[in-house]
Amino acid sequence: MKILAAIDGSFQSEAAIDALVSFKWTGGTEIILFTVLKAPDMGFGKKAGDQSQVMKEMAAATADTLKGMATDLEKTLPGSRVTFQIAQGEAKGEILEAAKANAVDMIIMGSRGHKGMELILLGSVSQGVLMQAQCPVVIVKSEPDSDAPNLQEGFKNVLLTVDNSPYSRAALAWVKTLNWSASTRFKLVTVVQPLTDSFSSEESAVRATSITRQHDSLHAMARTELESMAQDLIDAVGPGRVTTQVGEGDARELILHVAANWSADLIVMGSHGRTGLTKLLLGSVSHAVAVHGYCSVAIVKGVVPKGQGAKQQQTGMFRVPESKEINDRLPPPPEPRPSNDMPHIQPGGMM
């Protein structure tokens, strides 16, 4: 395992290092402490040589600090190799380039716990890395004045959101590779698309019955798959630590609601790895949860071989088939009755 820890000396970076240490990495793990220096504004009338000299001094001081951190981490994580790298330039681009050049398996970094699209639009480094990195990214959200738990003790409540795609299976496999604290609890949650159709004729009522049966089957399928994934995780972390929940509605809203009510301190999601602000604005569930959630987030991507997930679901939920597909599967409607008294039937029991 090779990990890039992007740090900048802030409280948030300290929290990210605490979270990193809490996993108690085994021997052979490589950790790269990575920071980016930005050229100082020297003001009007200053020479280029002055700025160059200041940058050299900044780099030297930063190297001393990172060297000390690396030494301490190697003592804390016996058998791990900790190095450091310093870059100059634009933080997001340098972090992504370092992750690619070093072929890392994971990026971990801190971020302010505030939520909102404005963080993306204003160029938040952490969110930018999250959107464009091609490996799993852990963003540790924390504030100095918050009531968040001490991450040196590890994440306590980990919410793993899944659907019936290879990306969710990959996220589960990634979770199993980590050495979680013995006190960590896990909840697996999946979301089923609700039925919203209304029916006002006998023909529609007949179809409503069939569609409702399909919807019930979809719930059963989701529950079965969720229990199978839960057992897989139980086999890895032990009994009594894993629960499950099947929800219905908008995936983003339900995931954030469950995370808040369950006091999750980390949400883990699989993602297909497409990049760009356009994908976020079109409603990518994983990116939307990362932006709007208050707790830390791990987005697992870049681990499904190309082509294996192309035709699989990428929405974060189990979906009811589109209406045309449903109609193609259903039997033809019965002949109309000779009476004009067609009953008005409500789709009782559907949400």
Side-chain angles (χ1 to χ4, degrees), residues 188-199:
L188 275 68
V189 61
T190 195
V191 186
V192 174
Q193 182 182 2
L195 282 176
T196 57
D197 302 295
S198 61
F199 304 89

Side-chain angles (χ1 to χ4, degrees), residues 201-203 206 332-342:
S201 68
E202 182 177 303
E203 174 184 336
V206 171
E335 293 295 328
R337 299 189 307 178
S339 170
N340 292 327
D341 299 323
M342 300 294 288

Side-chain angles (χ1 to χ4, degrees), residues 122-143:
L122 291 175
S124 165
V125 174
S126 58
Q127 299 293 349
V129 170
L130 175 70
M131 292 172 66
Q132 297 185 34
Q134 291 303 304
C135 66
V137 179
V138 179
I139 295 183
V140 179
K141 296 184 180 182
S142 185
E143 289 292 345

Side-chain angles (χ1 to χ4, degrees), residues 202-279:
E202 182 177 303
E203 174 184 336
S204 295
V206 171
R207 292 173 180 269
T209 301
S210 297
I211 293 171
T212 301
R213 284 199 299 265
Q214 282 193 341
H215 188 251
D216 292 342
S217 297
L218 191 68
H219 265 278
M221 180 184 73
R223 170 58 63 187
T224 298
E225 185 146 355
L226 195 62
E227 293 296 341
S228 172
M229 297 179 76
Q231 186 58 55
D232 192 11
L233 184 57
I234 290 170
D235 292 341
V237 303
R241 301 175 64 184
V242 182
T243 57
T244 63
Q245 180 175 339
V246 177
E248 184 170 310
D250 179 86
R252 292 163 293 184
E253 293 180 0
L254 189 137
I255 291 167
L256 292 173
H257 178 74
V258 172
N261 283 353
W262 191 56
S263 299
D265 47 23
L266 178 67
I267 301 174
V268 180
M269 306 187 71
S271 174
H272 45 69
R274 293 179 183 174
T275 61
L277 183 59
T278 300
K279 186 62 186 174

Side-chain angles (χ1 to χ4, degrees), residues 54-264:
V54 171
M55 288 298 295
K56 288 181 181 179
E57 294 173 358
M58 289 174 57
T62 301
D64 287 341
T65 300
L66 294 180
K67 184 178 180 179
M69 291 180 63
T71 300
D72 291 342
L73 282 175
E74 286 186 340
K75 292 178 181 178
T76 305
L77 302 170
S80 297
R81 178 171 177 262
V82 185
T83 59
F84 66 88
Q85 296 178 14
I86 302 172
Q88 298 180 16
E90 187 268 326
K92 181 190 72 174
E94 294 295 337
I95 293 170
L96 292 170
E97 181 59 31
K100 181 179 179 181
N102 290 282
V104 301
D105 302 297
M106 185 177 92
I107 300 171
I108 185 168
M109 59 192 305
S111 175
R112 291 187 302 274
H114 303 311
K115 64 176 183 176
M117 278 293 297
E118 65 273 9
L119 288 181
I120 296 293
L121 300 176
L122 291 175
S124 165
V125 174
S126 58
Q127 299 293 349
V129 170
L130 175 70
M131 292 172 66
Q132 297 185 34
Q134 291 303 304
C135 66
V137 179
V138 179
I139 295 183
V140 179
K141 296 184 180 182
S142 185
E143 289 292 345
D145 57 351
S146 70
D147 295 327
N150 184 353
L151 292 181
Q152 290 181 340
E153 301 174 1
F155 293 106
K156 299 299 183 183
N157 294 328
V158 177
L159 182 68
L160 178 58
T161 69
V162 299
D163 59 17
N164 52 338
S165 74
Y167 306 107
S168 289
R169 289 285 178 181
L172 176 62
W174 181 82
V175 166
K176 290 164 56 181
T177 66
L178 302 180
N179 187 19
W180 301 92
S181 166
S183 61
T184 302
R185 297 295 180 264
F186 304 86
K187 179 185 284 289
L188 275 68
V189 61
T190 195
V191 186
V192 174
Q193 182 182 2
L195 282 176
T196 57
D197 302 295
S198 61
F199 304 89
S200 58
S201 68
E202 182 177 303
E203 174 184 336
S204 295
V206 171
R207 292 173 180 269
T209 301
S210 297
I211 293 171
T212 301
R213 284 199 299 265
Q214 282 193 341
H215 188 251
D216 292 342
S217 297
L218 191 68
H219 265 278
M221 180 184 73
R223 170 58 63 187
T224 298
E225 185 146 355
L226 195 62
E227 293 296 341
S228 172
M229 297 179 76
Q231 186 58 55
D232 192 11
L233 184 57
I234 290 170
D235 292 341
V237 303
R241 301 175 64 184
V242 182
T243 57
T244 63
Q245 180 175 339
V246 177
E248 184 170 310
D250 179 86
R252 292 163 293 184
E253 293 180 0
L254 189 137
I255 291 167
L256 292 173
H257 178 74
V258 172
N261 283 353
W262 191 56
S263 299

